[in-house]
Amino acid sequence: VQLQASGGGLVQAGGSLRLSCVASGTTVSSYAMSWHRQAPGKQRELLATIRSGGRTEYVDSVKGRFTISIDNAKNTVCLQMDSLKPDDTAVYYCNTGEYRGIYYYPSRSWGQGTQVTVSS
C-alpha cells in the first residue's frame, strides 16, 4: 500500500486548503481512513477518521473546521480545512487503519506527508 498526500501550502489565518491522498495497492473504501498531523517538536496526532460506511469522527481541535471525505472514483481520501489557524501548521499525513471497539489503530506504514503552514 502506498499513500501520497498533496495539497499543502502556505495560507493566511482564516483561509482554507484541501488536502488529497491517493492510495495505490488498495481501495480506500475498504478501510477506516484517517488524517493525522505532526507539528515541529510534537507527537503525531490523529485528526479525523472515516469508516467504510461513511461515518466520520474528529478530534475537538478541528471539529467544525475540517471535513474528511472519500472520492471512490479517484480512490482518494480528502481533508477540507477551513478557518485555518497558525496552530494548524504541521506536516499532514493520511493513513489506512481499523477500529477495534472505540479505538482507532492506524497502519504502521506511513506515506509522505504534505506541509501546511498557516501565517498569522
Side-chain angles (χ1 to χ4, degrees), residues 26-66:
T26 190
T27 303
V28 295
S29 59
S30 299
Y31 294 93
M33 299 298 296
S34 56
W35 281 96
H36 310 249
R37 69 185 178 192
Q38 187 167 20
K42 296 186 177 181
Q43 288 189 334
R44 188 173 293 163
E45 64 170 331
L46 173 64
L47 300 176
T49 63
I50 182 166
R51 305 189 197 210
S52 58
R55 177 180 173 181
T56 58
E57 297 190 38
Y58 302 88
V59 296
D60 287 345
S61 60
V62 306
K63 196 174 296 183
R65 299 190 298 123
F66 291 9

Side-chain angles (χ1 to χ4, degrees), residues 5-20 35 66 79 81 84-93 113-120:
S6 62
L10 174 63
V11 63
Q12 288 188 330
S16 298
L17 282 174
R18 185 175 179 84
L19 306 183
S20 296
W35 281 96
F66 291 9
L79 186 69
M81 306 188 297
L84 283 163
K85 307 175 182 179
D87 285 348
D88 294 321
T89 296
V91 178
Y92 285 69
Y93 302 86
T114 185
Q115 175 71 47
V116 172
T117 303
V118 184
S119 63
S120 56

